[in-house]
Amino acid sequence: MTPNKISVGDYLILQKQNYKKLLKFNKPNLTVTVGRDTINLTGIEGWPYFSVFKMVSNSSKKNREYSLELTQEIVNLKDEIDVKISGNDNRNIFDDGHSQKLSAADIEELKVDSSKASDIVETLITNSNTFHSKTEFSQEKYLRKKEKKYFEYIQIVRPNLRIITEVMYKLDPGKIQGIRVDTLSQIITMANIQSEGNHLLYDSGSNGLLAAALLSAIGNQTNGKLVHMHPGNMSQKQALLAMNFNEEHLNRCISVNVYSALRQYYQGCDTNDNTSSELNHLKRKAEDCIEIKSKVSKTENAIDKYINTEDDNISEDSKPEPKKPKWHFDNIAASTILKDKMDSLVIACKEDPKNIFNELLEFVKPGRPFVIYYNVAEPLQQLYMLLKSMSNVAALKLSCNWMRNYQVLPDRTHPEVTMDGAGGFLLTGYVLK
Amino acid sequence: MSFKNYKDKIDEGDTVILYLSNNLYALEVRREIKNKKGEMIENVFQTPFGALKVKNLIGADFGSRVELSKGWGHVLQPTPELWSLTLPHRTQIIYTPDISMILLQLDLVPGSTVIEAGTGSGSLTHALIRRVRPHGHVFTFDFHEHRAKIAKEEFEEHGIADFVTARHRDVLELGFGEELNGKVDAVFLDLPSPWAGIPHAVTAIKEEGGRFCSFSPCIEQVQRSCIALQEHGFQDIVTMEVLQTELKVTRRTIPVRDLSFLRHKSSECPVEEKPSGDTSYVVGAWPASTPGHTGYLTVATLPPDFKKSKAKDMMKSDVPEDKSDSSESDDRMVIDESVNQ
Ligand SMILES: C[S@@+](CC[C@H](N)C(=O)[O-])C[C@H]1O[C@@H](n2cnc3c(N)ncnc32)[C@H](O)[C@@H]1O
């Protein structure tokens, strides 16, 4: 069991209303920005996950800096404020901008003086011309809006696949190839990912989300292994790190560059430079790594938006180690696993999937499933036609998902007014002998 | 036994999936079966492509081709997904698109302990078992004695009985049993009055909190469940619907009609021109009919005990519960689809 207390070094989820942010809690007094606010996390360390903290304004009104204070109860305005009169409909409501008798300055003053937000809102209501003629629904809506404005709480929860997928998709679906949560969930099941077996993943860029998803289903303290191939010089690991997997678990994911790993497999060596001495090559490669590192840190700024991390892992990986770089052993390990053959194949690529699939199919045992993800249908349709004509796969299926969320409230249940429209496409099947 | 581990070869007693030109069949590999008179006879499986001598499968590789009297097919090792498509229906079942989402929403990983009610035909149960094994466990309940019994036998035959406990029990009336109090990471309900099971879910979920999911075909069920979840201190209550459509991929050759020549005077002036040629596309066509609704998934988080105390106080001023509904008959499951197969 993982400890349930917030500790330095954890990745965690900071939740404010419906907003969630993923961050690495790398020092006890970490400061994060949430919208226009700056929040200092001093004091959250050691409290159990799910604890709720109240945002306390630090200084002047201008710079919106907050610190956090543990709180036991979240105030619900609806329960605190007893609304006695409401209208039947909105026929008498005319909002001329003067319905609130208090001025903006009055309200600011009120905020400084009152310790309880319900006091603030009650004063606001008393000084409102229109509140009592609003319908009950509108009053509730008003209270919810005010609640958002004056009650600011932060809850700290532990990241997991469900939350990380949500956070990453919301922030920028493009960074995870548009893989929506329902599609992701089906990639795991259709590939029959489980605690046993050797699983092969080719991912040309989802910030580690696919590797995180598969490794989570492979599990902690099990026999399953994941070979994670990527076309870049560095594997993208953000989501994988955010899962807080322990070392035993994380070590069963071997991330390798697809070229080096296949070269190692077929040629017994992971470089194509056979003239120069190995040492020489390693040196060159190490220099490459440094270059890449500067590239990585640039992209990281973008990623920073949802992951605050001093990515010690990346700098660790790219430290020049001319003797025995870790990636060299990873290539050998991957190649050994490939020789044993794989129990599943998952491809989520930006390239045309055809060649990648045909090459990697070699490694999959007969009877085992494969799943290919692409964010539009056409490349998968082409591949479908090709595979149909080759008849080396069974139960070939191209599918498209649809997902909709609902607002469920008494007498006001309806689909959410916007939905995540792009879920991508899956081509699935089973490999034949 | 073929559900337990990855296998390369077929043994007697395995369940295998026969794949025949886009059709899937599950069959149990037995040399002989009983005929109607109770005599043991050779096991021959009839397919649209002729007969399959089942004993010939023994020792064959999974993924290999098998000969039929009028053609051939391929044999696959069953996965929970293939099983959902071929299993004998004793109730309505949940299919892979919803199952996948349920597994992810319940935060299930190897090692998790999960409760499921009702067991029904065991479609979801197989997927739950695969996700939580080897250290985890599934507790599945059905108040229909026969279904609970058959499910139990099926798990034994499939070699996965170590990871699942199937019980005959009315969980709305009796809860999940004292021995599970505070023991599980997640609770899943697929029964007609899920809201009535929510207090029992609270009792069963671990002190450090856990997840809840219910699958309900009707929005009224969802509304009642959401109110109950709120009253019992759940947070992050979300309702969603997931659908999947299979696209039909074909190469389509379509005529090309040229109109540009009309800009200029020409000798001919036919009214009805033939298309001037054709062009071809690979298309993914949407089927004329596709699943439009399966059920709503309502999911929520039960926070740890230290957060729940307040919610419990709130419950004293509870919204009245209509108890009569929990005895409502389960009309979702009266259709036995296996009969007309
Ligand atoms: C629709 S089926 C479940 C199907 C299952 N999810 C599957 O995928 O195969 C519903 C089942 O719940 C059972 N059930 C209904 N009410 C119950 C209760 N109060 N306690 C236990 N089981 C119940 C029914 O007997 C029925 O088998």
Side-chain angles (χ1 to χ4, degrees):
Chain A
M1 224 17 253
T2 32
N4 280 310
K5 301 229 180 304
I6 302 168
S7 341
V8 173
D10 288 357
Y11 279 81
L12 46 82
I13 297 285
L14 182 153
Q15 192 168 346
K16 186 185 171 204
Q17 312 256 353
N18 289 326
Y19 174 86
K20 292 189 181 83
K21 186 184 180 98
L22 173 61
L23 55 100
K24 187 171 185 189
F25 187 46
N26 49 20
K27 51 180 182 192
N29 61 344
L30 186 72
T31 302
V32 294
T33 51
V34 174
R36 284 182 294 143
D37 303 332
T38 307
I39 304 171
N40 188 305
L41 300 184
T42 305
I44 66 165
E45 191 188 353
W47 291 110
Y49 278 99
F50 282 101
S51 291
V52 175
F53 302 89
K54 196 169 162 187
M55 286 171 61
V56 183
S57 180
N58 272 354
S59 47
S60 57
K61 299 150 203 160
K62 287 259 168 63
N63 54 8
R64 305 186 58 131
E65 275 176 26
Y66 296 88
S67 55
L68 294 179
E69 212 171 74
L70 187 76
T71 170
Q72 288 311 320
E73 46 187 317
I74 302 183
V75 181
N76 187 345
L77 278 184
K78 231 184 92 192
D79 300 341
E80 293 267 314
I81 297 172
D82 189 17
V83 181
K84 293 195 181 69
I85 315 159
S86 13
N88 287 328
D89 51 40
N90 287 336
R91 76 180 75 191
N92 295 322
I93 307 247
F94 174 66
D95 194 353
D96 56 358
H98 298 293
S99 51
Q100 179 56 254
K101 284 178 249 167
L102 299 181
S103 71
D106 291 340
I107 295 174
E108 271 310 321
E109 205 170 298
L110 189 68
K111 267 169 77 180
V112 176
D113 293 347
S114 327
S115 53
K116 272 180 74 189
S118 52
D119 293 345
I120 307 178
V121 178
E122 271 202 287
T123 319
L124 287 178
I125 293 173
T126 325
N127 288 288
S128 162
N129 291 332
T130 49
F131 184 84
H132 291 286
S133 37
K134 283 184 191 213
T135 62
E136 220 180 305
F137 287 169
S138 323
Q139 286 174 342
E140 245 184 84
K141 217 166 140 189
Y142 176 91
L143 289 182
R144 253 183 287 135
K145 246 166 84 186
K146 295 296 161 196
E147 205 169 271
K148 258 195 175 150
K149 203 163 166 191
Y150 299 110
F151 287 72
E152 308 212 272
Y153 296 104
I154 297 277
Q155 188 175 32
I156 304 290
V157 299
R158 190 195 287 285
N160 57 31
L161 184 62
R162 167 175 55 86
I163 303 177
I164 292 171
T165 312
E166 182 193 330
V167 170
M168 290 176 103
Y169 191 95
K170 256 195 197 146
L171 188 81
D172 185 356
K175 288 223 172 67
I176 52 168
Q177 296 190 50
I179 302 178
R180 200 175 52 201
V181 58
D182 52 333
T183 307
L184 183 70
S185 73
Q186 289 170 31
I187 291 174
I188 307 170
T189 51
M190 290 308 294
N192 196 22
I193 306 296
Q194 53 181 296
S195 57
E196 300 268 332
N198 299 330
H199 303 278
L200 178 56
L201 164 68
Y202 178 89
D203 176 7
S204 52
S206 66
N207 277 305
L209 182 62
L210 276 163
L214 304 193
L215 198 59
S216 138
I218 288 172
N220 188 17
Q221 304 286 340
T222 62
N223 304 319
K225 293 193 192 87
L226 177 64
V227 174
H228 168 208
M229 292 182 168
H230 54 84
N233 285 293
M234 283 293 167
S235 72
Q236 297 180 327
K237 287 196 170 152
Q238 280 77 18
L240 202 54
L241 296 174
M243 294 287 291
N244 295 319
F245 290 134
N246 64 24
E247 212 178 308
E248 183 277 332
H249 195 175
L250 204 54
N251 283 344
R252 278 180 292 118
C253 169
I254 301 170
S255 294
V256 287
N257 168 279
V258 63
Y259 296 95
S260 310
L262 292 183
R263 210 172 263 137
Q264 178 69 42
Y265 179 84
Y266 287 112
Q267 304 173 19
C269 124
D270 56 3
T271 78
N272 66 353
D273 194 351
N274 21 21
T275 47
S276 66
S277 78
E278 174 153 33
L279 199 78
N280 233 339
H281 160 75
L282 294 182
K283 222 171 103 205
R284 205 207 62 218
K285 192 81 185 204
E287 280 159 14
D288 280 356
C289 291
I290 296 166
E291 263 176 51
I292 296 140
K293 200 204 155 195
S294 54
K295 234 169 69 194
V296 167
S297 28
K298 242 183 266 156
T299 42
E300 237 173 52
N301 287 338
I303 292 156
D304 241 18
K305 274 189 248 152
Y306 56 92
I307 302 182
N308 281 4
T309 161
E310 323 215 291
D311 226 315
D312 27 29
N313 301 58
I314 286 182
S315 38
E316 231 169 66
D317 279 353
S318 45
K319 235 173 254 162
E321 286 174 321
K323 281 275 155 62
K324 292 170 183 170
K326 184 174 175 295
W327 51 259
H328 178 65
F329 294 106
D330 285 345
N331 289 333
I332 294 172
S335 150
T336 311
I337 297 173
L338 289 177
K339 278 188 189 118
D340 288 346
K341 298 289 179 203
M342 310 305 285
D343 295 296
S344 75
L345 169 62
V346 174
I347 297 177
C349 55
K350 295 175 179 163
E351 310 91 323
D352 185 345
K354 189 178 96 184
N355 293 343
I356 298 167
F357 178 73
N358 283 337
E359 277 308 312
L360 299 184
L361 185 65
E362 294 285 313
F363 302 111
V364 187
K365 287 186 187 170
R368 304 294 196 257
F370 66 85
V371 178
I372 311 169
Y373 169 85
Y374 207 90
N375 61 9
V376 291
E378 285 74 6
L380 295 179
Q381 290 173 7
Q382 294 286 353
L383 183 56
Y384 181 102
M385 292 307 286
L386 181 79
L387 293 178
K388 270 280 169 196
S389 71
M390 301 207 311
S391 65
N392 52 354
V393 301
L396 199 58
K397 182 171 149 184
L398 177 63
S399 61
C400 164
N401 287 310
W402 179 95
M403 179 182 162
R404 184 148 91 171
N405 283 83
Y406 285 77
Q407 166 188 303
V408 181
L409 288 171
D411 296 331
R412 279 159 298 155
T413 296
H414 61 70
E416 299 278 2
V417 291
T418 56
M419 53 196 265
D420 299 329
F425 296 81
L426 294 178
L427 182 62
T428 56
Y430 295 81
V431 178
L432 294 179
K433 202 174 156 183
Chain B
M1 301 302 274
S2 45
F3 284 81
K4 187 169 181 182
N5 297 105
Y6 285 113
K7 296 187 72 173
D8 294 333
K9 281 196 191 324
I10 299 172
D11 291 313
E12 181 155 19
D14 280 354
T15 299
V16 301
I17 306 292
L18 182 63
Y19 172 75
L20 280 184
S21 74
N22 284 331
N23 287 311
L24 295 164
Y25 309 85
L27 62 117
E28 217 186 304
V29 179
R30 298 274 173 219
R31 283 168 201 272
E32 293 186 319
I33 49 163
K34 272 197 189 124
N35 69 5
K36 284 181 198 124
K37 292 182 208 145
E39 301 155 345
M40 293 306 279
I41 52 158
E42 188 184 353
N43 189 1
V44 177
F45 187 79
Q46 292 300 334
T47 78
F49 292 90
L52 167 72
K53 289 190 170 149
V54 175
K55 71 164 190 262
N56 293 348
L57 294 177
I58 299 169
D61 288 336
F62 279 111
S64 67
R65 177 171 147 150
V66 293
E67 300 304 324
L68 306 170
S69 55
K70 284 179 276 172
W72 73 88
H74 285 90
V75 275
L76 300 172
Q77 184 176 352
T79 60
E81 289 65 45
L82 289 169
W83 182 245
S84 290
L85 294 172
T86 51
L87 60 79
H89 283 221
R90 301 181 285 271
T91 59
Q92 290 264 40
I93 65 161
I94 304 183
Y95 288 95
T96 299
D98 286 311
I99 289 177
S100 309
M101 194 57 145
I102 291 164
L103 299 180
L104 193 143
Q105 291 292 336
L106 289 178
D107 299 342
L108 296 179
V109 292
S112 304
T113 305
V114 57
I115 284 175
E116 176 200 28
T119 313
S121 309
S123 172
L124 173 65
T125 323
H126 279 79
L128 291 171
I129 292 169
R130 173 193 50 195
R131 178 60 53 85
V132 304
R133 50 179 296 231
H135 330 297
H137 203 86
V138 180
F139 292 90
T140 183
F141 300 87
D142 206 300
F143 71 179
H144 190 290
E145 189 167 4
H146 185 64
R147 277 180 212 143
K149 182 169 158 274
I150 302 234
K152 196 169 166 173
E153 287 167 6
E154 210 171 69
F155 301 139
E156 273 157 22
E157 276 160 29
H158 290 174
I160 47 180
D162 287 352
F163 314 112
V164 59
T165 305
R167 292 211 176 113
H168 167 225
R169 188 183 181 92
D170 182 336
V171 299
L172 298 187
E173 197 151 297
L174 303 168
F176 303 113
E178 221 164 281
E179 64 283 8
L180 289 181
N181 286 359
K183 289 280 168 22
V184 310
D185 298 291
V187 174
F188 173 81
L189 299 179
D190 174 12
L191 35 73
S193 338
W195 56 89
I198 288 169
H200 303 308
V202 173
T203 313
I205 289 174
K206 288 180 182 168
E207 201 180 303
E208 59 256 46
R211 289 284 284 174
F212 172 87
C213 176
S214 77
F215 176 93
S216 301
C218 303
I219 199 72
E220 291 79 3
Q221 295 170 298
V222 171
Q223 283 171 324
R224 304 185 67 159
S225 300
C226 285
I227 290 175
L229 286 168
Q230 221 154 19
E231 285 167 3
H232 287 84
F234 283 80
Q235 65 174 56
D236 304 317
I237 304 166
V238 173
T239 297
M240 71 192 85
E241 211 181 348
V242 175
L243 291 175
Q244 188 187 67
T245 297
E246 181 176 348
L247 301 183
K248 199 170 152 29
V249 185
T250 49
R251 176 168 294 281
R252 220 177 256 186
T253 302
I254 54 173
V256 173
R257 190 177 300 284
D258 183 21
L259 299 174
S260 61
F261 70 96
L262 296 168
R263 292 162 179 246
H264 309 287
K265 245 199 168 101
S266 81
S267 50
E268 295 168 58
C269 51
V271 199
E272 202 181 337
E273 278 281 342
K274 281 225 176 77
S276 46
D278 51 41
T279 181
S280 96
Y281 292 94
V282 173
V283 298
W286 288 70
S289 169
T290 178
H293 181 64
T294 55
Y296 300 102
L297 291 175
T298 296
V299 299
T301 300
L302 185 68
D305 272 352
F306 78 93
K307 295 277 309 127
K308 279 185 301 216
S309 42
K310 180 157 186 266
K312 288 216 179 98
D313 296 341
M314 265 174 57
M315 276 162 49
K316 285 178 201 142
S317 57
D318 225 306
V319 176
E321 277 259 50
D322 188 356
K323 289 275 162 46
S324 64
D325 280 80
S326 46
S327 56
E328 209 175 61
S329 73
D330 184 0
D331 51 359
R332 275 188 57 217
M333 68 211 175
V334 289
I335 315 157
D336 186 353
E337 274 140 273
S338 62
V339 172
N340 31 29
Q341 266 178 8

PDB file of all heavy atoms in Angstrom, chain B residues 103-117:
ATOM      1  N   LEU B 103     -13.868  -0.089 -16.039  1.00  0.00           N
ATOM      2  CA  LEU B 103     -12.584  -0.469 -15.443  1.00  0.00           C
ATOM      3  C   LEU B 103     -11.742   0.770 -15.159  1.00  0.00           C
ATOM      4  O   LEU B 103     -11.142   0.913 -14.097  1.00  0.00           O
ATOM      5  CB  LEU B 103     -11.805  -1.404 -16.378  1.00  0.00           C
ATOM      6  CG  LEU B 103     -12.464  -2.742 -16.727  1.00  0.00           C
ATOM      7  CD1 LEU B 103     -11.561  -3.542 -17.667  1.00  0.00           C
ATOM      8  CD2 LEU B 103     -12.738  -3.553 -15.471  1.00  0.00           C
ATOM      9  N   LEU B 104     -11.715   1.682 -16.134  1.00  0.00           N
ATOM     10  CA  LEU B 104     -10.882   2.879 -15.959  1.00  0.00           C
ATOM     11  C   LEU B 104     -11.469   3.802 -14.899  1.00  0.00           C
ATOM     12  O   LEU B 104     -10.750   4.344 -14.062  1.00  0.00           O
ATOM     13  CB  LEU B 104     -10.725   3.598 -17.297  1.00  0.00           C
ATOM     14  CG  LEU B 104      -9.641   4.663 -17.321  1.00  0.00           C
ATOM     15  CD1 LEU B 104      -8.930   4.682 -18.660  1.00  0.00           C
ATOM     16  CD2 LEU B 104     -10.176   6.049 -17.028  1.00  0.00           C
ATOM     17  N   GLN B 105     -12.788   3.972 -14.919  1.00  0.00           N
ATOM     18  CA  GLN B 105     -13.418   4.882 -13.961  1.00  0.00           C
ATOM     19  C   GLN B 105     -13.353   4.359 -12.530  1.00  0.00           C
ATOM     20  O   GLN B 105     -13.375   5.143 -11.588  1.00  0.00           O
ATOM     21  CB  GLN B 105     -14.879   5.146 -14.348  1.00  0.00           C
ATOM     22  CG  GLN B 105     -15.045   5.968 -15.623  1.00  0.00           C
ATOM     23  CD  GLN B 105     -14.581   7.402 -15.460  1.00  0.00           C
ATOM     24  OE1 GLN B 105     -14.543   7.949 -14.355  1.00  0.00           O
ATOM     25  NE2 GLN B 105     -14.192   8.035 -16.558  1.00  0.00           N
ATOM     26  N   LEU B 106     -13.294   3.052 -12.370  1.00  0.00           N
ATOM     27  CA  LEU B 106     -13.201   2.495 -11.016  1.00  0.00           C
ATOM     28  C   LEU B 106     -11.757   2.488 -10.515  1.00  0.00           C
ATOM     29  O   LEU B 106     -11.486   2.013  -9.417  1.00  0.00           O
ATOM     30  CB  LEU B 106     -13.788   1.083 -10.973  1.00  0.00           C
ATOM     31  CG  LEU B 106     -15.322   0.975 -11.105  1.00  0.00           C
ATOM     32  CD1 LEU B 106     -15.753  -0.473 -11.086  1.00  0.00           C
ATOM     33  CD2 LEU B 106     -16.027   1.749  -9.987  1.00  0.00           C
ATOM     34  N   ASP B 107     -10.833   3.009 -11.321  1.00  0.00           N
ATOM     35  CA  ASP B 107      -9.409   3.060 -10.948  1.00  0.00           C
ATOM     36  C   ASP B 107      -8.868   1.670 -10.636  1.00  0.00           C
ATOM     37  O   ASP B 107      -8.033   1.498  -9.738  1.00  0.00           O
ATOM     38  CB  ASP B 107      -9.175   3.966  -9.718  1.00  0.00           C
ATOM     39  CG  ASP B 107      -9.586   5.412  -9.959  1.00  0.00           C
ATOM     40  OD1 ASP B 107      -9.733   5.798 -11.132  1.00  0.00           O
ATOM     41  OD2 ASP B 107      -9.738   6.154  -8.964  1.00  0.00           O
ATOM     42  N   LEU B 108      -9.340   0.651 -11.350  1.00  0.00           N
ATOM     43  CA  LEU B 108      -8.914  -0.710 -11.028  1.00  0.00           C
ATOM     44  C   LEU B 108      -7.550  -1.018 -11.621  1.00  0.00           C
ATOM     45  O   LEU B 108      -7.273  -0.686 -12.771  1.00  0.00           O
ATOM     46  CB  LEU B 108      -9.938  -1.716 -11.554  1.00  0.00           C
ATOM     47  CG  LEU B 108     -11.318  -1.624 -10.921  1.00  0.00           C
ATOM     48  CD1 LEU B 108     -12.249  -2.653 -11.541  1.00  0.00           C
ATOM     49  CD2 LEU B 108     -11.236  -1.817  -9.408  1.00  0.00           C
ATOM     50  N   VAL B 109      -6.734  -1.650 -10.812  1.00  0.00           N
ATOM     51  CA  VAL B 109      -5.404  -2.088 -11.235  1.00  0.00           C
ATOM     52  C   VAL B 109      -5.165  -3.462 -10.601  1.00  0.00           C
ATOM     53  O   VAL B 109      -5.909  -3.854  -9.701  1.00  0.00           O
ATOM     54  CB  VAL B 109      -4.301  -1.107 -10.763  1.00  0.00           C
ATOM     55  CG1 VAL B 109      -4.402   0.221 -11.476  1.00  0.00           C
ATOM     56  CG2 VAL B 109      -4.334  -0.903  -9.255  1.00  0.00           C
ATOM     57  N   PRO B 110      -4.156  -4.191 -11.072  1.00  0.00           N
ATOM     58  CA  PRO B 110      -3.868  -5.469 -10.417  1.00  0.00           C
ATOM     59  C   PRO B 110      -3.694  -5.250  -8.902  1.00  0.00           C
ATOM     60  O   PRO B 110      -2.966  -4.351  -8.499  1.00  0.00           O
ATOM     61  CB  PRO B 110      -2.569  -5.905 -11.089  1.00  0.00           C
ATOM     62  CG  PRO B 110      -2.669  -5.331 -12.469  1.00  0.00           C
ATOM     63  CD  PRO B 110      -3.314  -3.985 -12.269  1.00  0.00           C
ATOM     64  N   GLY B 111      -4.412  -6.020  -8.131  1.00  0.00           N
ATOM     65  CA  GLY B 111      -4.351  -5.856  -6.681  1.00  0.00           C
ATOM     66  C   GLY B 111      -5.596  -5.240  -6.086  1.00  0.00           C
ATOM     67  O   GLY B 111      -5.815  -5.315  -4.872  1.00  0.00           O
ATOM     68  N   SER B 112      -6.447  -4.633  -6.904  1.00  0.00           N
ATOM     69  CA  SER B 112      -7.660  -4.010  -6.364  1.00  0.00           C
ATOM     70  C   SER B 112      -8.673  -5.073  -5.940  1.00  0.00           C
ATOM     71  O   SER B 112      -8.719  -6.162  -6.505  1.00  0.00           O
ATOM     72  CB  SER B 112      -8.339  -3.131  -7.412  1.00  0.00           C
ATOM     73  OG  SER B 112      -7.490  -2.159  -7.920  1.00  0.00           O
ATOM     74  N   THR B 113      -9.497  -4.692  -4.967  1.00  0.00           N
ATOM     75  CA  THR B 113     -10.614  -5.533  -4.562  1.00  0.00           C
ATOM     76  C   THR B 113     -11.882  -4.814  -4.988  1.00  0.00           C
ATOM     77  O   THR B 113     -12.057  -3.635  -4.694  1.00  0.00           O
ATOM     78  CB  THR B 113     -10.618  -5.700  -3.029  1.00  0.00           C
ATOM     79  OG1 THR B 113      -9.340  -6.199  -2.651  1.00  0.00           O
ATOM     80  CG2 THR B 113     -11.682  -6.683  -2.589  1.00  0.00           C
ATOM     81  N   VAL B 114     -12.768  -5.533  -5.682  1.00  0.00           N
ATOM     82  CA  VAL B 114     -13.946  -4.875  -6.242  1.00  0.00           C
ATOM     83  C   VAL B 114     -15.188  -5.730  -6.031  1.00  0.00           C
ATOM     84  O   VAL B 114     -15.125  -6.954  -6.065  1.00  0.00           O
ATOM     85  CB  VAL B 114     -13.715  -4.526  -7.740  1.00  0.00           C
ATOM     86  CG1 VAL B 114     -13.373  -5.759  -8.552  1.00  0.00           C
ATOM     87  CG2 VAL B 114     -14.921  -3.816  -8.354  1.00  0.00           C
ATOM     88  N   ILE B 115     -16.304  -5.036  -5.786  1.00  0.00           N
ATOM     89  CA  ILE B 115     -17.600  -5.702  -5.656  1.00  0.00           C
ATOM     90  C   ILE B 115     -18.406  -5.434  -6.914  1.00  0.00           C
ATOM     91  O   ILE B 115     -18.410  -4.315  -7.426  1.00  0.00           O
ATOM     92  CB  ILE B 115     -18.367  -5.143  -4.425  1.00  0.00           C
ATOM     93  CG1 ILE B 115     -17.783  -5.716  -3.141  1.00  0.00           C
ATOM     94  CG2 ILE B 115     -19.865  -5.451  -4.534  1.00  0.00           C
ATOM     95  CD1 ILE B 115     -18.396  -5.116  -1.876  1.00  0.00           C
ATOM     96  N   GLU B 116     -19.106  -6.471  -7.383  1.00  0.00           N
ATOM     97  CA  GLU B 116     -20.003  -6.312  -8.525  1.00  0.00           C
ATOM     98  C   GLU B 116     -21.362  -6.915  -8.194  1.00  0.00           C
ATOM     99  O   GLU B 116     -21.442  -8.005  -7.650  1.00  0.00           O
ATOM    100  CB  GLU B 116     -19.424  -7.057  -9.740  1.00  0.00           C
ATOM    101  CG  GLU B 116     -20.344  -7.025 -10.941  1.00  0.00           C
ATOM    102  CD  GLU B 116     -20.057  -8.116 -11.981  1.00  0.00           C
ATOM    103  OE1 GLU B 116     -19.547  -9.193 -11.639  1.00  0.00           O
ATOM    104  OE2 GLU B 116     -20.380  -7.870 -13.159  1.00  0.00           O
ATOM    105  N   ALA B 117     -22.446  -6.214  -8.541  1.00  0.00           N
ATOM    106  CA  ALA B 117     -23.793  -6.787  -8.394  1.00  0.00           C
ATOM    107  C   ALA B 117     -24.678  -6.171  -9.467  1.00  0.00           C
ATOM    108  O   ALA B 117     -24.614  -4.952  -9.682  1.00  0.00           O
ATOM    109  CB  ALA B 117     -24.373  -6.490  -7.007  1.00  0.00           C
TER     110      ALA B 117
END
